[in-house]
Amino acid sequence: MRRHRIAVIPGDGIGREVTPAALEVLEAAGRAHGFALETTEHPWGCDHFVETGRMMPVDALDTLRDTDAIFLGAVGRPDVPDHISLWGLLIPIRRTFRQYVNLRPIRLWPGIPSPLRDVTPEQIDMVIVRENNEGEYSEIGGRLYHGTEEELAVQQATFTRRGTDRVMEYAFKLAEGRSGRVCSATKSNGIIHTMPFWDERFAHATARHPQLEAEQVLIDALAAMVVLDPGRFDVIVASNLFGDILSDLAAAIAGSIGIAPSGNLNPERECPSMFEPVHGSAPDIAGQGIANPIGAIWSGA
Ligand code: IPM
Ligand code: MN
């Protein structure tokens, strides 16, 4: 029997409802298919922050390092600023464990109505490969002259060759086992330094995989095309922010962001990966027992 040591962080809001529901399903799957989960639950999140001033204990990352995978519910509570809750838990885990791929499969399941007219389940089956460690989500920057007329904020997007190449390589390899089509989300017409660089690295990856069909599309047009012609897309590789936005849009056309899964992956398995539904803590419906656990179940799968 294969045993997997899983660190469970239900987190906040509906994370605490969908996580136990999903674990029941995963445990049943284990009984049927010959694997067992050894789970350790960590009560980290916004309550922990309000009690202790930290989203998770000082040694939390060391605790997590020693597991096979992390299963996360959701993070966020209206009375705790998002940049505190997310930069105190989710983002440090993604970065410390070099989970540089955020894998977001999108499928229209039979029986789930799409908001698009006339689409069939076969037409919506794509995977967004979102860069998860760098790009627009950068700590480099700062603010000056707080509260004055001259106030200013600067945020430095950061794209490294290593960080860009590895996520693109992942996307091409993934496409090899699927339809063989990769699309790169870009914005090199408006973003003058980082996006032409992104395109260069995409051209480099394309040249390394001549058997695959590669195209690049500007992110604004891509957003429209994913709505108008979703069947055209299979693997889409995108920077951190573009992938974030596009994955909510794609989940919406597949009927609900509530069922979309994600894997924050360290493909080399040097560190544990983390699996979480794409939806957030949903404070508007938390505590009512009506949250749909499919996103959490599929992430667990
Ligand atoms: C996601 C979320 C996070 C992100 C937020 C909560 C920081 O939207 O996982 O998609 O932008 O990465
Ligand atoms: Mn998001």
Side-chain angles (χ1 to χ4, degrees), residues 223-238:
M225 281 159 69
V226 166
V227 171
L228 296 173
D229 187 13
R232 165 177 176 156
F233 298 102
D234 186 24
V235 175
I236 300 179
V237 64

PDB file of all heavy atoms in Angstrom, residues 223-238:
ATOM      1  N   ALA A 223      -8.184  36.592 -24.349  1.00  0.00           N
ATOM      2  CA  ALA A 223      -9.342  36.546 -23.443  1.00  0.00           C
ATOM      3  C   ALA A 223     -10.624  36.450 -24.262  1.00  0.00           C
ATOM      4  O   ALA A 223     -11.523  35.666 -23.948  1.00  0.00           O
ATOM      5  CB  ALA A 223      -9.356  37.769 -22.537  1.00  0.00           C
ATOM      6  N   ALA A 224     -10.685  37.224 -25.333  1.00  0.00           N
ATOM      7  CA  ALA A 224     -11.879  37.177 -26.185  1.00  0.00           C
ATOM      8  C   ALA A 224     -11.977  35.835 -26.917  1.00  0.00           C
ATOM      9  O   ALA A 224     -13.051  35.240 -27.006  1.00  0.00           O
ATOM     10  CB  ALA A 224     -11.846  38.322 -27.193  1.00  0.00           C
ATOM     11  N   MET A 225     -10.839  35.344 -27.410  1.00  0.00           N
ATOM     12  CA  MET A 225     -10.867  34.095 -28.178  1.00  0.00           C
ATOM     13  C   MET A 225     -11.236  32.893 -27.319  1.00  0.00           C
ATOM     14  O   MET A 225     -11.904  31.967 -27.793  1.00  0.00           O
ATOM     15  CB  MET A 225      -9.500  33.876 -28.851  1.00  0.00           C
ATOM     16  CG  MET A 225      -9.332  34.727 -30.102  1.00  0.00           C
ATOM     17  SD  MET A 225      -7.606  34.963 -30.572  1.00  0.00           S
ATOM     18  CE  MET A 225      -7.170  33.350 -31.091  1.00  0.00           C
ATOM     19  N   VAL A 226     -10.791  32.896 -26.070  1.00  0.00           N
ATOM     20  CA  VAL A 226     -11.132  31.775 -25.181  1.00  0.00           C
ATOM     21  C   VAL A 226     -12.649  31.719 -24.974  1.00  0.00           C
ATOM     22  O   VAL A 226     -13.242  30.655 -24.861  1.00  0.00           O
ATOM     23  CB  VAL A 226     -10.357  31.879 -23.848  1.00  0.00           C
ATOM     24  CG1 VAL A 226     -10.931  30.956 -22.791  1.00  0.00           C
ATOM     25  CG2 VAL A 226      -8.885  31.555 -24.074  1.00  0.00           C
ATOM     26  N   VAL A 227     -13.290  32.886 -24.984  1.00  0.00           N
ATOM     27  CA  VAL A 227     -14.749  32.922 -24.859  1.00  0.00           C
ATOM     28  C   VAL A 227     -15.417  32.528 -26.180  1.00  0.00           C
ATOM     29  O   VAL A 227     -16.364  31.744 -26.211  1.00  0.00           O
ATOM     30  CB  VAL A 227     -15.215  34.332 -24.414  1.00  0.00           C
ATOM     31  CG1 VAL A 227     -16.728  34.465 -24.500  1.00  0.00           C
ATOM     32  CG2 VAL A 227     -14.728  34.624 -23.003  1.00  0.00           C
ATOM     33  N   LEU A 228     -14.890  33.066 -27.286  1.00  0.00           N
ATOM     34  CA  LEU A 228     -15.572  32.872 -28.572  1.00  0.00           C
ATOM     35  C   LEU A 228     -15.285  31.527 -29.221  1.00  0.00           C
ATOM     36  O   LEU A 228     -16.113  31.011 -29.963  1.00  0.00           O
ATOM     37  CB  LEU A 228     -15.158  33.996 -29.546  1.00  0.00           C
ATOM     38  CG  LEU A 228     -15.582  35.406 -29.099  1.00  0.00           C
ATOM     39  CD1 LEU A 228     -14.992  36.454 -30.031  1.00  0.00           C
ATOM     40  CD2 LEU A 228     -17.106  35.508 -29.067  1.00  0.00           C
ATOM     41  N   ASP A 229     -14.092  30.972 -28.950  1.00  0.00           N
ATOM     42  CA  ASP A 229     -13.700  29.738 -29.632  1.00  0.00           C
ATOM     43  C   ASP A 229     -12.842  28.867 -28.712  1.00  0.00           C
ATOM     44  O   ASP A 229     -11.674  28.579 -29.001  1.00  0.00           O
ATOM     45  CB  ASP A 229     -12.916  30.123 -30.907  1.00  0.00           C
ATOM     46  CG  ASP A 229     -12.617  28.915 -31.777  1.00  0.00           C
ATOM     47  OD1 ASP A 229     -13.207  27.835 -31.545  1.00  0.00           O
ATOM     48  OD2 ASP A 229     -11.776  29.048 -32.695  1.00  0.00           O
ATOM     49  N   PRO A 230     -13.406  28.424 -27.577  1.00  0.00           N
ATOM     50  CA  PRO A 230     -12.587  27.714 -26.585  1.00  0.00           C
ATOM     51  C   PRO A 230     -11.960  26.429 -27.130  1.00  0.00           C
ATOM     52  O   PRO A 230     -10.880  26.030 -26.688  1.00  0.00           O
ATOM     53  CB  PRO A 230     -13.573  27.403 -25.450  1.00  0.00           C
ATOM     54  CG  PRO A 230     -14.942  27.589 -26.017  1.00  0.00           C
ATOM     55  CD  PRO A 230     -14.808  28.567 -27.143  1.00  0.00           C
ATOM     56  N   GLY A 231     -12.609  25.813 -28.108  1.00  0.00           N
ATOM     57  CA  GLY A 231     -12.112  24.541 -28.639  1.00  0.00           C
ATOM     58  C   GLY A 231     -10.767  24.658 -29.327  1.00  0.00           C
ATOM     59  O   GLY A 231     -10.064  23.668 -29.525  1.00  0.00           O
ATOM     60  N   ARG A 232     -10.368  25.860 -29.648  1.00  0.00           N
ATOM     61  CA  ARG A 232      -9.102  26.083 -30.317  1.00  0.00           C
ATOM     62  C   ARG A 232      -7.910  25.901 -29.375  1.00  0.00           C
ATOM     63  O   ARG A 232      -6.781  25.710 -29.800  1.00  0.00           O
ATOM     64  CB  ARG A 232      -9.162  27.516 -30.841  1.00  0.00           C
ATOM     65  CG  ARG A 232      -7.857  28.073 -31.260  1.00  0.00           C
ATOM     66  CD  ARG A 232      -8.047  29.437 -31.821  1.00  0.00           C
ATOM     67  NE  ARG A 232      -6.743  29.985 -32.133  1.00  0.00           N
ATOM     68  CZ  ARG A 232      -6.535  30.919 -33.009  1.00  0.00           C
ATOM     69  NH1 ARG A 232      -7.547  31.441 -33.654  1.00  0.00           N
ATOM     70  NH2 ARG A 232      -5.323  31.359 -33.244  1.00  0.00           N
ATOM     71  N   PHE A 233      -8.165  25.957 -28.056  1.00  0.00           N
ATOM     72  CA  PHE A 233      -7.044  25.981 -27.112  1.00  0.00           C
ATOM     73  C   PHE A 233      -6.871  24.672 -26.361  1.00  0.00           C
ATOM     74  O   PHE A 233      -7.839  24.020 -25.969  1.00  0.00           O
ATOM     75  CB  PHE A 233      -7.233  27.128 -26.117  1.00  0.00           C
ATOM     76  CG  PHE A 233      -7.237  28.457 -26.805  1.00  0.00           C
ATOM     77  CD1 PHE A 233      -8.423  29.128 -27.043  1.00  0.00           C
ATOM     78  CD2 PHE A 233      -6.058  28.989 -27.290  1.00  0.00           C
ATOM     79  CE1 PHE A 233      -8.427  30.334 -27.735  1.00  0.00           C
ATOM     80  CE2 PHE A 233      -6.047  30.193 -27.985  1.00  0.00           C
ATOM     81  CZ  PHE A 233      -7.243  30.872 -28.205  1.00  0.00           C
ATOM     82  N   ASP A 234      -5.605  24.331 -26.179  1.00  0.00           N
ATOM     83  CA  ASP A 234      -5.304  23.157 -25.356  1.00  0.00           C
ATOM     84  C   ASP A 234      -4.388  23.579 -24.211  1.00  0.00           C
ATOM     85  O   ASP A 234      -4.856  23.880 -23.131  1.00  0.00           O
ATOM     86  CB  ASP A 234      -4.689  22.054 -26.225  1.00  0.00           C
ATOM     87  CG  ASP A 234      -4.499  20.791 -25.416  1.00  0.00           C
ATOM     88  OD1 ASP A 234      -5.205  20.607 -24.415  1.00  0.00           O
ATOM     89  OD2 ASP A 234      -3.631  19.967 -25.774  1.00  0.00           O
ATOM     90  N   VAL A 235      -3.079  23.677 -24.449  1.00  0.00           N
ATOM     91  CA  VAL A 235      -2.183  24.132 -23.383  1.00  0.00           C
ATOM     92  C   VAL A 235      -1.895  25.614 -23.604  1.00  0.00           C
ATOM     93  O   VAL A 235      -1.490  26.008 -24.695  1.00  0.00           O
ATOM     94  CB  VAL A 235      -0.865  23.321 -23.388  1.00  0.00           C
ATOM     95  CG1 VAL A 235       0.111  23.890 -22.359  1.00  0.00           C
ATOM     96  CG2 VAL A 235      -1.147  21.851 -23.100  1.00  0.00           C
ATOM     97  N   ILE A 236      -2.125  26.402 -22.575  1.00  0.00           N
ATOM     98  CA  ILE A 236      -1.809  27.835 -22.651  1.00  0.00           C
ATOM     99  C   ILE A 236      -0.772  28.140 -21.586  1.00  0.00           C
ATOM    100  O   ILE A 236      -0.984  27.840 -20.406  1.00  0.00           O
ATOM    101  CB  ILE A 236      -3.063  28.701 -22.403  1.00  0.00           C
ATOM    102  CG1 ILE A 236      -4.150  28.395 -23.440  1.00  0.00           C
ATOM    103  CG2 ILE A 236      -2.699  30.198 -22.418  1.00  0.00           C
ATOM    104  CD1 ILE A 236      -5.436  29.204 -23.250  1.00  0.00           C
ATOM    105  N   VAL A 237       0.356  28.703 -21.994  1.00  0.00           N
ATOM    106  CA  VAL A 237       1.384  29.090 -21.014  1.00  0.00           C
ATOM    107  C   VAL A 237       1.331  30.600 -20.838  1.00  0.00           C
ATOM    108  O   VAL A 237       1.212  31.347 -21.814  1.00  0.00           O
ATOM    109  CB  VAL A 237       2.787  28.570 -21.430  1.00  0.00           C
ATOM    110  CG1 VAL A 237       3.286  29.174 -22.728  1.00  0.00           C
ATOM    111  CG2 VAL A 237       3.809  28.827 -20.306  1.00  0.00           C
ATOM    112  N   ALA A 238       1.357  31.027 -19.585  1.00  0.00           N
ATOM    113  CA  ALA A 238       1.147  32.443 -19.304  1.00  0.00           C
ATOM    114  C   ALA A 238       1.967  32.875 -18.103  1.00  0.00           C
ATOM    115  O   ALA A 238       2.291  32.069 -17.223  1.00  0.00           O
ATOM    116  CB  ALA A 238      -0.342  32.698 -19.039  1.00  0.00           C
TER     117      ALA A 238
END
